[in-house]
Amino acid sequence: MKKVSILIVDDHKLIRETWSFILGSDERFEVIADCGDPDEAIKVAAEKKPNVVLMDINMIPMSGFDATEQIKKVSPETRIIGVSMHSQPAYARKMLQVGAHGYVTKNSSREEMVKAILEVDKGNKYICDEIRNIISEQLTETEPQGPDIQSLTEREIQIISFIKKGHSSREIAAELDISLKTVEVHRHNILKKLKLKNTAALVNFINSNPSLY
């Protein structure tokens, strides 16, 4: 079985040695070099054409973003995985924009790093669980909530049925033998629960959902 050749790029020697040992112990992988300097990494990539590069994004004087762009120029077939302490989705997006195929944080487990390498080697994109969970939470927080139909009271549903028939608030008050003010309060609560701005929007909602009332 052909091994996945890997280049490790990180300006911390201990991190390079740790990943070299972990991945080198896996028969599916071959660590062909590790570099602490982005310029050196670009030269190695140009010469050895690794299948996968693990790229620390926080390096100086050249960042991992810039190094990624340079490596893709000298070795287009190489798949690059951004590795960082940052868990903000914006960093992952930027790495993908400059040519990387994956992004994992330094909180990721050995199992996840292995999975990321195998996935990007196939040509797939891979974003670690930590980032994907954050994105999912952000989407949930910003996703607008739909109409709260279940919270409508029996009286509110009754009033909606009258509105559907074209009755005015005064007519509804007379039909239900309640005050005009009470009808207006119910109408206000209905709009609030259904997330609607005005009566016209309510009428449109009713007409769009004929089976609800």
Side-chain angles (χ1 to χ4, degrees), residues 9 38-39 41-42 55-56 59 62-72 80:
V9 187
D39 288 315
I42 295 167
M55 176 67 71
D56 178 22
M59 294 186 292
M62 184 189 296
S63 72
F65 301 112
D66 294 332
T68 293
E69 289 185 300
Q70 294 301 314
I71 288 176
K72 292 301 290 184
I80 300 174

Side-chain angles (χ1 to χ4, degrees), residues 122-179:
K122 296 174 186 175
N124 301 325
K125 299 286 177 67
Y126 187 88
I127 301 297
C128 68
D129 290 340
E130 183 178 10
I131 299 292
R132 284 191 284 109
N133 289 339
I134 290 172
I135 293 174
S136 177
E137 289 173 5
Q138 290 177 345
L139 290 174
T140 301
E141 290 171 0
T142 58
E143 186 176 281
Q145 296 297 312
D148 191 10
I149 296 172
Q150 299 300 322
S151 68
L152 292 171
T153 65
E154 185 176 346
R155 175 65 85 185
E156 288 165 351
I157 292 174
Q158 193 175 25
I159 288 174
I160 288 175
S161 69
F162 278 111
I163 295 173
K164 184 177 181 180
K165 295 174 184 175
H167 286 58
S168 67
S169 292
R170 194 174 298 280
E171 290 171 333
I172 295 172
E175 287 283 349
L176 298 179
D177 194 23
I178 56 179
S179 70

Side-chain angles (χ1 to χ4, degrees), residues 17-207:
E17 291 178 344
T18 299
W19 281 114
S20 292
F21 175 76
I22 292 173
L23 298 174
S25 301
D26 191 313
E27 62 182 12
R28 292 169 293 183
F29 306 131
E30 177 187 9
V31 179
I32 58 175
D34 65 82
C35 303
D37 175 78
D39 288 315
E40 180 189 0
I42 295 167
K43 293 177 183 177
V44 172
E47 178 186 347
K48 298 191 175 183
K49 311 290 185 185
N51 298 129
V52 176
V53 173
L54 302 184
M55 176 67 71
D56 178 22
I57 70 172
N58 301 107
M59 294 186 292
I60 53 174
M62 184 189 296
S63 72
F65 301 112
D66 294 332
T68 293
E69 289 185 300
Q70 294 301 314
I71 288 176
K72 292 301 290 184
K73 289 178 182 178
V74 300
S75 184
E77 297 303 313
T78 294
R79 313 292 183 180
I80 300 174
I81 299 174
V83 184
S84 174
M85 67 181 71
H86 298 294
S87 59
Q88 293 93 327
Y91 285 92
R93 284 194 290 268
K94 185 173 180 181
M95 275 302 286
L96 295 181
Q97 287 170 358
V98 298
H101 272 67
Y103 188 94
V104 299
T105 68
K106 292 186 177 180
N107 292 325
S108 299
S109 65
R110 176 183 65 82
E111 290 78 14
E112 184 158 45
M113 179 65 86
V114 168
K115 182 179 180 181
I117 293 170
L118 294 174
E119 283 298 312
V120 301
D121 183 56
K122 296 174 186 175
N124 301 325
K125 299 286 177 67
Y126 187 88
I127 301 297
C128 68
D129 290 340
E130 183 178 10
I131 299 292
R132 284 191 284 109
N133 289 339
I134 290 172
I135 293 174
S136 177
E137 289 173 5
Q138 290 177 345
L139 290 174
T140 301
E141 290 171 0
T142 58
E143 186 176 281
Q145 296 297 312
D148 191 10
I149 296 172
Q150 299 300 322
S151 68
L152 292 171
T153 65
E154 185 176 346
R155 175 65 85 185
E156 288 165 351
I157 292 174
Q158 193 175 25
I159 288 174
I160 288 175
S161 69
F162 278 111
I163 295 173
K164 184 177 181 180
K165 295 174 184 175
H167 286 58
S168 67
S169 292
R170 194 174 298 280
E171 290 171 333
I172 295 172
E175 287 283 349
L176 298 179
D177 194 23
I178 56 179
S179 70
L180 178 61
K181 183 177 180 180
T182 298
V183 174
E184 292 300 333
V185 169
H186 282 309
R187 292 182 73 130
H188 172 77
N189 290 336
I190 290 168
L191 292 176
K192 186 176 180 181
K193 290 179 180 180
L194 296 181
K195 309 267 190 313
L196 301 172
K197 292 182 179 181
N198 49 43
T199 300
L202 175 59
V203 172
N204 287 334
F205 179 82
I206 292 171
N207 291 334

